[in-house]
Amino acid sequence: MSEYIEPIETLAEKFRRLPGVGKKSAVRMAFSVLDMSEEDARAFSEAILSAKTKVRRCSVCGNMTDEELCSVCRDSGRDRSLICVVENSRDVITFERVREYRGLYHVLGGVISPVRGVGPSDLSTDSLLKRLSNGTVREVIIATNPTVEGETTAMYISRLISPLGVKATRLAYGVPVGSDLEYADEVTLNRAIEGRREIK
Amino acid sequence: MSEYIEPIETLAEKFRRLPGVGKKSAVRMAFSVLDMSEEDARAFSEAILSAKTKVRRCSVCGNMTDEELCSVCRDSGRDRSLICVVENSRDVITFERVREYRGLYHVLGGVISPVRGVGPSDLSTDSLLKRLSNGTVREVIIATNPTVEGETTAMYISRLISPLGVKATRLAYGVPVGSDLEYADEVTLNRAIEGRREIK
């Protein structure tokens, strides 16, 4: 016999699958649902289904949207000659938070990872190449993560792009602004030295 | 304009209301729902509604159940002369985990707390007194938490019970088994000294 009655057990199991939720937290969450008003529980239940069914990929860049095009692609004020290639929609949000970047995005939907069985064909590279074919785009910033897999993917994409005569760039590596050099790892520090700039 | 598209924002807000979930975790959880299969998302959504609508209070003791009577009240092997009064259903689960206690329970549904506006009439004391009226119950263990509010409530209940000639008891206070005396707080240590027992 399980410790909790079935509906609570089932719900706790669902919460358990969320990132960062352990067994005890999942049970606490399940009990907290019982403490909600029925209206709130209903709204919660609907929000899950609604997020899952309404959210889809932008037909141009692959970013998350609840319309045909994402908010960036819809925005007429964006620089259409510049595309920033990112791993996922969360990276788009990170860039948008900075408010400095005014170009478009292209969401790959992952990185090449033999370990996880993700190959180049699993990424949205075809749609990227299609976007580059009409000559509007001058530069592609490849902003995959600075990990081995991110680097491999960046390499792969830059090679795909080069025959098209579009400039491919990569984010600068270096020490984070406001950080302490003491805590920088060797690789980052080496990259920071390699990429040093003249003070004018 | 909010950072995330509406369905994600709404869902993150719902997760945010769960115990122990901060803003960042809530957003991560919302995104993880998008990564679920539609079937899983639907099952999750239904589990919430199902827990909220199916779970109710046992008509005898107030414990959580998805039937008319809870599993303890249904169990013919329990000692019906003993009732353990607890604050909520989670406390029942805690006691059941110990497997030592074989009596019944009574779930108060809270404790007297002027700060939170909970008075004696908000607790299920009437149904407790009703259970004590037929003479079957010999003893009531008042197992509210060892907090100020729990103590006040225990006091109140023991006074309600005393005219009925039913024995009211309280859990022993003392140092936790297996703990280090060094970490025991003063009040607990004092209570442990007061309640000391002869070694036979």
Side-chain angles (χ1 to χ4, degrees):
Chain A
M1 198 183 89
S2 93
E3 222 167 354
Y4 306 102
I5 55 174
E6 187 274 325
I8 295 176
E9 194 80 38
T10 304
L11 181 55
E13 212 175 80
K14 304 297 177 195
F15 280 129
R16 186 75 200 277
R17 292 194 203 163
L18 295 174
V21 178
K23 198 168 172 235
K24 282 208 166 182
S25 310
V27 169
R28 275 180 67 212
M29 287 175 180
F31 275 107
S32 80
V33 168
L34 302 179
D35 294 336
M36 288 179 188
S37 69
E38 190 166 330
E39 195 187 336
D40 282 349
R42 202 169 286 277
F44 186 10
S45 165
E46 278 162 14
I48 288 171
L49 214 54
S50 171
K52 182 61 197 171
T53 53
K54 280 190 198 159
V55 177
R56 47 180 175 158
R57 311 231 153 254
C58 170
S59 59
V60 171
C61 75
N63 187 17
M64 275 172 188
T65 178
D66 50 353
E67 301 189 33
E68 173 68 22
L69 293 180
C70 77
S71 57
V72 177
C73 287
R74 281 201 309 270
D75 184 348
S76 59
R78 310 290 297 220
D79 179 355
R80 286 170 193 272
S81 69
L82 193 58
I83 289 180
C84 179
V85 175
V86 292
E87 295 183 16
N88 54 51
S89 285
R90 264 158 284 190
D91 297 329
V92 172
I93 293 162
T94 308
F95 270 94
E96 287 298 286
R97 215 174 268 155
V98 180
R99 284 156 198 263
E100 202 60 43
Y101 180 71
R102 295 304 299 162
L104 302 174
Y105 294 96
H106 194 81
V107 178
L108 287 176
V111 275
I112 298 168
S113 168
V115 180
R116 277 181 259 168
V118 182
S121 63
D122 297 312
L123 309 179
S124 62
T125 47
D126 286 351
S127 57
L128 174 63
L129 291 179
K130 208 179 133 205
R131 292 178 75 186
L132 303 181
S133 62
N134 67 3
T136 317
V137 179
R138 284 179 299 102
E139 182 181 346
V140 172
I141 304 171
I142 308 174
T144 49
N145 281 312
T147 58
V148 174
E149 292 167 343
E151 294 296 347
T152 308
T153 309
M155 245 0 202
Y156 174 78
I157 290 170
S158 71
R159 276 179 203 156
L160 273 186
I161 292 174
S162 68
L164 303 173
V166 176
K167 187 160 86 175
T169 56
R170 187 100 177 91
L171 290 181
Y173 290 110
V175 286
V177 178
S179 68
D180 199 315
L181 281 183
E182 197 181 340
Y183 301 116
D185 63 287
E186 272 174 56
V187 180
T188 302
L189 212 51
N190 267 326
R191 296 292 194 108
I193 294 167
E194 273 167 37
R196 68 190 180 280
R197 292 215 191 177
E198 199 184 334
I199 307 167
K200 282 168 193 167
Chain B
M1 200 183 88
S2 93
E3 223 166 352
Y4 305 101
I5 54 174
E6 187 274 326
I8 296 176
E9 193 80 39
T10 304
L11 181 55
E13 210 175 81
K14 305 295 178 197
F15 281 129
R16 186 74 201 276
R17 292 194 203 163
L18 296 173
V21 178
K23 199 170 172 233
K24 283 208 165 180
S25 311
V27 169
R28 274 180 67 212
M29 289 174 178
F31 275 107
S32 80
V33 168
L34 301 180
D35 294 336
M36 288 178 188
S37 70
E38 189 165 332
E39 196 187 335
D40 282 349
R42 202 168 288 276
F44 185 11
S45 164
E46 276 161 15
I48 288 171
L49 214 54
S50 170
K52 182 61 198 172
T53 54
K54 280 190 197 158
V55 177
R56 48 180 176 158
R57 312 232 152 254
C58 169
S59 60
V60 171
C61 75
N63 187 17
M64 275 172 189
T65 179
D66 50 353
E67 302 189 32
E68 173 67 22
L69 294 179
C70 76
S71 57
V72 177
C73 287
R74 281 200 309 269
D75 184 349
S76 59
R78 311 289 298 218
D79 179 354
R80 286 172 193 274
S81 70
L82 192 57
I83 288 182
C84 178
V85 174
V86 292
E87 294 183 16
N88 54 51
S89 285
R90 264 158 284 191
D91 296 330
V92 172
I93 293 163
T94 307
F95 271 94
E96 287 299 285
R97 214 174 271 155
V98 180
R99 285 156 197 265
E100 201 61 43
Y101 180 72
R102 296 302 301 162
L104 302 174
Y105 294 96
H106 194 82
V107 178
L108 287 176
V111 274
I112 298 169
S113 168
V115 180
R116 278 181 258 166
V118 182
S121 62
D122 298 311
L123 308 179
S124 61
T125 47
D126 285 353
S127 56
L128 174 64
L129 292 179
K130 208 179 135 207
R131 292 178 75 186
L132 303 180
S133 61
N134 68 1
T136 318
V137 179
R138 282 179 301 101
E139 181 182 346
V140 172
I141 304 170
I142 308 175
T144 50
N145 282 313
T147 57
V148 174
E149 291 166 345
E151 294 297 346
T152 309
T153 310
M155 245 359 200
Y156 174 79
I157 291 170
S158 69
R159 276 180 204 156
L160 273 186
I161 292 173
S162 69
L164 304 172
V166 176
K167 186 160 86 176
T169 56
R170 186 101 176 92
L171 290 181
Y173 290 109
V175 286
V177 178
S179 67
D180 199 316
L181 282 183
E182 196 181 340
Y183 302 117
D185 62 287
E186 272 175 56
V187 180
T188 302
L189 212 51
N190 267 327
R191 296 291 194 109
I193 295 168
E194 275 168 35
R196 67 190 180 279
R197 292 212 193 181
E198 199 182 335
I199 305 166
K200 284 170 192 165

